[in-house]
């Protein structure tokens, strides 16, 4: 049997698509993406999407409610979980350089139904993430406009504002970014590089300038003693952990650090989006691992430094929840830095929206090319070689959602979907090592299967620390996805049709 063949029994919902077939599909002229990205472009994309809402907003929330100055340790814990997953992503992305990220990896290792489930999950998570960040961007821009006495009509400020109906800024942002993605990846990379430079500069200003305003007493105690929240729980306590392990929910203390890690994990979402661009990378076998691991390392170092500086500038109990970085400088008597941070946050969130939208369209494109979604969406633009049809469709839908929807507390829903993808990818590495040991691997995840198993356990632990309602919403979306697969995807699968043709 050749390495490109599959056993005849592998024809059900767990049929796998060979790596060779996945790569051949990328060579079809009408369905091929243009290869234009380098390792530097990938690293810029990674940093561009990772540094966003999480660091500018969540730092104050988790410090005040869950971990105190030990928020820095929460970022370390979340970074370690991401690093374990990143090592697995790097092997897959260099071995299977095809658009779709975790969806494509699952299809090559575990099977079609698991691949569909993870693809269905990623489409939702990227859509929610894009809409949430667009609304957050709109808020920062309106704040800056207020500083120069420019004001939008109340009806166009969005449903989060009294009297608001439609968030015109969020709507327009998504539409503009949709056009940028249609015009080509290299243009997207150049715009992202410029914005990332501004954003990293702002983060460095926070770190360097903040060092001069640190008060040592603000670090005491570094790990505040555990306390039982009033009413027996808080908005972030986890019924899943209580059910399985039977411990009393607490804020602060050592368990508070893990709870904080499950929240600030949202700040790391993005490095996995780099893997969706594998098919558009010039040398994916070499550059994908560099882009994924490099961007994650840079952002983890910056996050830990920011958390230490901010909790040193202002006591954790007094930190702002909505804008902790800017307000900490205001409290120190330096409103100029606060304005710079607000500007950097507004500019920086632009790239977060761009790259989340990029990731979603590539997953949708890959699923369409495999026939699990209508093939109409898998044709690339004849000139720009971008998946313009799903980009336009999804861009318009997300723009409308961002314009009309008041979105609250969706970070946890995005988190659980991403962690679920981490579990699938780590498991897929173990499976593909056993089923296809012959595949050339430019990057190999070390200590297989031990490291992937640790990655699975760590990701699942953070999932358990998320609220019960998040699990319920996630389960409902997955059930809907399974129904859609059996009603449409399974019968239209190109792989399934090819297998049936071969049998007859």
């Amino acid at each position: 049997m050749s390495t490109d063949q599959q056993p005849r029994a592998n024809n059900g919902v767990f049929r796998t698509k060979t790596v060779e077939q996945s790569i051949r599909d990328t060579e079809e002229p009408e369905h091929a993406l243009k290869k234009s990205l380098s390792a530097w472009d990938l690293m810029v994309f990674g940093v561009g999407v990772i540094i966003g809402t999480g660091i500018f907003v969540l730092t104050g929330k988790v410090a005040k409610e869950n971990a105190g100055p030990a928020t820095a340790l929460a970022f370390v814990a979340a970074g370690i979980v991401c690093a374990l997953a990143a090592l697995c992503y790097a092997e897959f992305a260099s071995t299977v350089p095809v658009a779709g990220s975790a969806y494509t990896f699952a299809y090559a290792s575990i099977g079609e139904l698991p691949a569909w489930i993870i693809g269905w999950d990623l489409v939702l998570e990227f859509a929610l993430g894009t809409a949430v960040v667009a609304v957050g961007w709109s808020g920062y821009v309106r704040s800056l406009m207020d500083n120069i006495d420019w004001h939008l009509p109340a009806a166009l400020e969005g449903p989060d504002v009294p009297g608001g109906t439609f968030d015109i800024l969020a709507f327009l942002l998504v539409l503009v970014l949709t056009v940028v993605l249609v015009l080509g990846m290299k243009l997207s990379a150049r715009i992202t590089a410029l914005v990332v430079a501004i954003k990293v500069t702002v983060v460095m200003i926070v770190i360097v300038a903040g060092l001069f305003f640190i008060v040592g007493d603000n670090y005491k105690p570094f790990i505040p003693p555990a306390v039982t929240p009033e009413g027996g729980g808080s908005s972030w306590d986890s019924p899943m952990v209580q059910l399985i392990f039977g411990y009393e929910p607490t804020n602060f203390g050592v368990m508070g650090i893990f709870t904080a890690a499950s929240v600030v994990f949202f700040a790391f979402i993005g490095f996995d989006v780099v893997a969706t661009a594998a098919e558009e990378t010039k040398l994916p076998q070499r550059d994908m691992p560099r882009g994924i691991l490099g961007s994650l390392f840079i952002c983890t170092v910056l996050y830990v430094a920011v958390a230490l500086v901010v909790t040193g500038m202002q006591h954790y109990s007094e930190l702002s929840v909505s804008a902790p970085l800017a307000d900490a400088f205001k409290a120190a008597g330096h409103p100029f830095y606060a304005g710079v941070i607000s500007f950097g946050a507004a500019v920086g969130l632009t790239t977060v929206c761009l790259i989340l939208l990029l990731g979603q369209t590539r997953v949708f494109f890959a699923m369409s090319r495999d026939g699990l979604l209508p093939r109409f969406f898998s044709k690339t633009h004849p000139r720009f070689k971008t998946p313009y049809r799903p980009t336009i469709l999804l861009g318009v839908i997300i723009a409308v959602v961002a314009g009309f929807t008041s979105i609250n507390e969706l970070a946890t829903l995005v988190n659980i979907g991403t962690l679920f993808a981490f579990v699938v990818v780590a498991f897929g590495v173990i499976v593909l090592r056993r089923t296809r040991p012959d595949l050339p691997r430019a990057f190999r995840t070390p200590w297989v299967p031990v490291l992937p198993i640790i990655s699975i356990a760590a990701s699942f632990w953070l999932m358990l620390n998320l609220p019960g309602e998040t699990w319920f919403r996630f389960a409902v979306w997955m059930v809907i996805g399974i129904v859609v697969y059996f009603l449409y995807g399974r019968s239209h699968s190109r792989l399934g049709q090819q297998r049936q043709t071969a049998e007859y």
Side-chain angles (χ1 to χ4, degrees):
M1 181 184 296
S2 71
T3 58
D4 195 18
Q5 292 177 326
Q6 296 287 337
R8 286 176 58 87
N10 191 10
N11 288 331
V13 296
F14 292 98
R15 56 196 172 209
T16 56
K17 182 180 181 181
T18 65
V19 174
E20 292 82 359
Q21 181 62 53
S22 295
I23 294 175
R24 279 200 299 271
D25 286 348
T26 69
E27 298 168 354
E28 297 175 357
E30 288 188 335
H31 308 286
L33 298 173
K34 184 178 180 180
K35 297 182 181 296
S36 60
L37 301 179
S38 64
W40 173 252
D41 292 326
L42 295 173
M43 200 172 300
V44 167
F45 272 135
V47 174
V49 72
I50 297 172
I51 297 179
T53 306
I55 188 62
F56 287 116
V57 177
L58 293 181
T59 305
K61 179 178 180 62
V62 297
K64 194 167 187 175
E65 298 179 5
N66 301 114
T71 296
L73 298 181
F75 277 114
V76 171
I80 291 173
V81 174
C82 290
L84 293 171
L87 290 169
C88 298
Y89 267 91
E91 173 168 327
F92 260 127
S94 61
T95 306
V96 194
V98 177
S101 185
Y103 158 77
T104 299
F105 306 157
Y107 212 162
S109 57
I110 306 174
E112 185 173 278
L113 179 57
W116 164 267
I117 290 174
I118 199 61
W120 182 256
D121 164 51
L122 290 176
V123 167
L124 173 70
E125 303 315 321
F126 290 154
L128 292 179
T130 305
V132 170
V133 175
V135 172
W137 175 88
S138 174
Y140 273 108
V141 171
R142 290 197 306 270
S143 175
L144 290 171
M145 291 171 64
D146 290 341
N147 291 340
I148 56 175
D149 204 29
W150 287 5
H151 306 283
L152 290 172
L156 297 179
E157 291 192 352
D160 287 321
V161 178
T165 304
F166 183 73
D167 193 332
I168 187 65
L169 292 178
F171 175 80
L172 291 177
L173 172 67
V174 177
L175 289 186
V176 170
L177 296 180
T178 298
V179 173
V180 171
L181 287 176
V182 169
L183 293 179
M185 282 293 290
K186 199 62 184 178
L187 174 62
S188 305
R190 288 169 180 166
I191 293 175
T192 301
L194 174 62
V195 177
V196 167
I198 297 173
K199 184 160 52 175
V200 172
T201 299
V202 170
V203 173
M204 293 303 298
I205 289 174
V206 172
I207 296 170
V208 176
L211 288 173
F212 295 96
F213 308 118
I214 289 177
V215 178
D217 287 343
N218 288 336
Y219 290 128
K220 300 176 182 177
F222 190 74
I223 302 178
V227 295
T228 300
E230 294 182 9
S234 71
S235 61
W236 291 103
D237 69 27
S238 171
M240 300 299 294
V241 172
Q242 297 172 48
L243 178 65
I244 296 175
F245 298 100
Y247 81 88
E248 184 75 10
T250 61
N251 288 334
F252 306 109
V254 174
M255 294 309 302
I257 296 174
F258 287 109
T259 302
S262 69
V263 179
V264 301
F265 177 82
F266 180 80
F268 286 93
I269 290 176
F271 80 84
D272 55 318
V273 180
V274 175
T276 66
E279 192 173 326
E280 293 157 276
T281 303
K282 296 176 183 176
L283 298 172
Q285 289 78 11
R286 182 196 70 184
D287 293 342
M288 286 306 301
R290 293 180 180 181
I292 293 173
L293 297 171
S295 59
L296 180 61
F297 175 77
I298 291 170
C299 292
T300 301
V301 172
L302 293 177
Y303 281 4
V304 171
V306 167
L308 288 172
V309 167
V310 171
T311 54
M313 290 178 61
Q314 191 174 19
H315 194 268
Y316 71 88
S317 62
E318 300 173 356
L319 282 172
S320 162
V321 172
S322 59
L325 277 61
D327 289 348
F329 278 98
K330 287 182 181 179
H334 293 274
F336 169 77
Y337 290 116
V340 171
I341 292 169
S342 295
F343 171 76
V347 173
L349 293 180
T350 306
T351 58
V352 180
C353 283
L354 176 70
I355 301 167
L356 286 174
L357 185 58
L358 161 74
Q360 187 198 40
T361 57
R362 270 44 179 185
V363 173
F364 197 98
F365 170 80
M367 296 174 73
S368 172
R369 189 164 57 188
D370 290 332
L372 301 181
L373 290 172
R375 288 271 288 172
F376 171 82
F377 295 107
S378 65
K379 287 190 176 181
T380 54
H381 193 280
R383 177 183 175 186
F384 303 120
K385 294 299 179 182
T386 56
Y388 68 107
R389 290 175 175 175
T391 301
I392 294 172
L393 171 69
L394 296 170
V396 170
I397 292 175
I398 296 171
V400 172
V401 170
F404 281 108
T405 308
S406 176
I407 305 173
N408 297 308
E409 297 185 0
L410 283 177
T412 52
L413 189 56
V414 178
N415 284 359
I416 196 170
T418 305
L419 287 164
F420 178 64
F422 287 2
V423 170
V424 171
V425 170
F427 181 68
V429 167
I430 298 174
V431 172
L432 201 62
R433 282 285 188 95
R434 292 182 61 87
T435 58
R436 293 297 307 276
D438 57 294
L439 282 175
R441 291 170 169 84
F443 179 89
R444 298 177 67 89
T445 303
W447 309 312
V448 174
V450 175
L451 188 143
I453 291 174
I454 295 174
S455 177
I456 292 170
S459 297
F460 189 65
W461 169 252
L462 288 189
M463 290 173 70
L464 290 177
N465 277 277
L466 293 171
E469 56 267 26
T470 300
W471 281 82
F472 175 75
R473 293 168 187 158
F474 180 69
V476 169
W477 179 251
M478 289 296 101
V479 169
I480 294 173
I482 292 174
V483 171
V484 172
Y485 170 76
F486 282 103
L487 290 179
Y488 181 88
R490 187 183 185 189
S491 59
H492 290 79
S493 165
R494 291 185 68 202
L495 182 62
Q497 293 172 351
Q498 291 168 358
R499 298 281 170 82
Q500 288 180 349
T501 301
E503 289 181 354
Y504 293 105

